[in-house]
Amino acid sequence: MIKQAIIPLAGLGTRLLPLTSVFAKELLPINGKPGLEYIINECIDAGIKQIIFIISKRKMMIKKYFYNDKFYKDLIKRKNDPKIKKEYQKILKYRKMIKFVYQNDPKGTGDAVLKTKKYIKDKYFLMLLPDDLIIKKNCSKSMIQTHKKFKSSVMASMSVNKKTVSRWGIYKLNKKLNTNDYLIRGVIEKPKINDAPSNKAVIGRYILPKKIFLKLKNLKPSKGGEIHITDAIQLLIDDKEKFIAHNFTGKYLDCGTMDGYINSSKEIAKL
Ligand code: G1P
């Protein structure tokens, strides 16, 4: 069973400047709801019991969002509005399952994962990148099914335009296991178009083994001076650890860029 999920939230959000100079991008509304709530709901619906948020001092706004009790209590006392009570109840429900850890120096996704080391209890855990929304079908849930079937690590995969490979982690594929699952031989972070082994990209959902911490501990920064989870995954594959790329069937929305962010509200409004 996969019971714990981690969500890296310490990123600077430079692709959404100037908004992110004062605001946590994960709290920006997407069709009236913070993007982060879609991610939390995906976890809950997939059976996750605890979510670890990796934040930073700059992103304390995220913690405040879940710990603003005085504000709600005063408001409920003044206005006896059931809608306000309902919002507060929802926040309290989320809060029960959230734990905060800190990554004050945003050195990359690999470094963010390492910060959760002492809290991960089981052999495998889920990671979701909050820029990547997947709607219509719960991607984490179907990845957990793949994980149960093959007893392996699983990552979300999507075909992308070959011209855009340098924006993604790209898979080296091995054999096809069924309609949606491929065994992978490797993964390269943001390759140049001529170095890309395929056009299958990593999307931000990962079922990772606890063993990954052993690789992360000694990992040096690579592409863009960051410590990448992709590099740790490659080291595990070199050690014969089984990783599967899962072609998800939901619709992908990239909320990390301004165009993508604007489009995501439109797409969700259509549901
Ligand atoms: C990260 C990962 C990359 C992956 C992408 C998916 O990149 O490093 O491998 O393809 O998320 O969104 P980032 O978006 O942080 O540049």
Side-chain angles (χ1 to χ4, degrees):
M1 276 295 276
I2 308 271
K3 295 197 212 85
Q4 289 178 298
I6 69 169
I7 308 181
L9 294 160
L12 299 175
T14 42
R15 288 181 290 212
L16 285 177
L17 281 169
L19 273 172
T20 43
S21 66
V22 292
F23 209 82
K25 65 175 174 181
E26 299 82 3
L27 294 180
L28 289 170
I30 296 175
N31 197 39
K33 215 162 64 175
L36 189 54
E37 286 196 18
Y38 293 94
I39 302 277
I40 298 174
N41 289 335
E42 178 177 329
C43 288
I44 295 175
D45 185 44
I48 294 296
K49 303 292 177 223
Q50 186 189 40
I51 309 179
I52 302 175
F53 282 3
I54 305 131
I55 62 168
S56 64
K57 280 193 196 127
R58 293 182 69 258
K59 305 286 281 282
M60 282 309 278
M61 182 188 275
I62 296 176
K63 187 159 186 189
K64 179 106 191 249
Y65 184 79
F66 296 95
Y67 278 85
N68 217 353
D69 297 64
K70 189 170 174 344
F71 172 83
Y72 280 106
K73 283 180 181 159
D74 288 352
L75 204 60
I76 290 166
K77 217 183 268 171
R78 268 196 287 135
K79 305 173 183 233
N80 196 13
D81 184 340
K83 263 200 242 151
I84 301 174
K85 280 189 191 161
K86 208 171 145 207
E87 285 301 329
Y88 186 41
Q89 289 308 321
K90 184 180 74 180
I91 294 285
L92 289 177
K93 182 185 107 182
Y94 289 154
R95 181 163 94 195
K96 268 199 211 141
M97 59 188 304
I98 301 171
K99 168 163 190 62
F100 291 85
V101 304
Y102 293 85
Q103 182 198 25
N104 286 325
D105 190 6
K107 288 191 287 197
T109 321
D111 180 62
V113 175
L114 193 54
K115 303 287 182 211
T116 67
K117 183 174 174 240
K118 62 173 177 212
Y119 305 104
I120 297 297
K121 296 186 197 117
D122 301 328
K123 223 170 143 196
Y124 289 91
F125 60 98
L126 173 71
M127 169 163 79
L128 305 92
L129 302 185
D131 281 358
D132 295 347
L133 285 195
I134 299 169
I135 56 169
K136 292 189 177 162
K137 181 118 206 275
N138 189 322
C139 179
S140 297
K141 207 177 193 170
S142 55
M143 283 171 61
I144 289 174
Q145 279 162 7
T146 296
H147 162 76
K148 275 192 193 151
K149 191 164 168 194
F150 296 101
K151 314 242 170 320
S152 70
S153 301
V154 185
M155 296 151 83
S157 163
M158 182 178 81
S159 298
V160 295
N161 185 327
K162 193 97 199 206
K163 284 184 210 144
T164 69
V165 287
S166 63
R167 189 252 171 266
W168 314 93
I170 297 290
Y171 293 114
K172 275 187 222 167
L173 298 179
N174 196 338
K175 72 171 194 239
K176 188 170 176 167
L177 297 168
N178 58 39
T179 330
N180 294 319
D181 299 308
Y182 288 83
L183 211 54
I184 60 165
R185 264 192 302 128
V187 61
I188 311 180
E189 185 66 19
K190 303 190 173 76
K192 292 200 188 100
I193 187 161
N194 292 326
D195 301 333
S198 75
N199 70 333
K200 303 271 185 255
V202 179
I203 299 300
R205 303 286 183 277
Y206 310 70
I207 293 176
L208 298 169
K210 201 176 175 176
K211 288 187 198 160
I212 198 142
F213 294 116
L214 300 171
K215 300 295 176 195
L216 286 169
K217 227 169 42 184
N218 303 313
L219 207 61
K220 298 275 174 299
S222 64
K223 269 273 147 66
E226 290 189 10
I227 298 175
H228 291 286
I229 194 68
T230 333
D231 294 341
I233 291 168
Q234 184 61 58
L235 291 174
L236 284 178
I237 294 174
D238 295 344
D239 282 358
K240 306 272 176 284
E241 183 78 18
K242 195 156 102 182
F243 271 81
I244 290 175
H246 175 74
N247 243 327
F248 58 92
T249 51
K251 187 174 173 57
Y252 168 67
L253 303 173
D254 177 6
C255 301
T257 64
M258 193 52 86
D259 284 349
Y261 168 66
I262 292 166
N263 181 50
S264 58
S265 282
K266 290 186 195 156
E267 289 293 336
I268 290 179
K270 281 193 227 158
L271 291 180

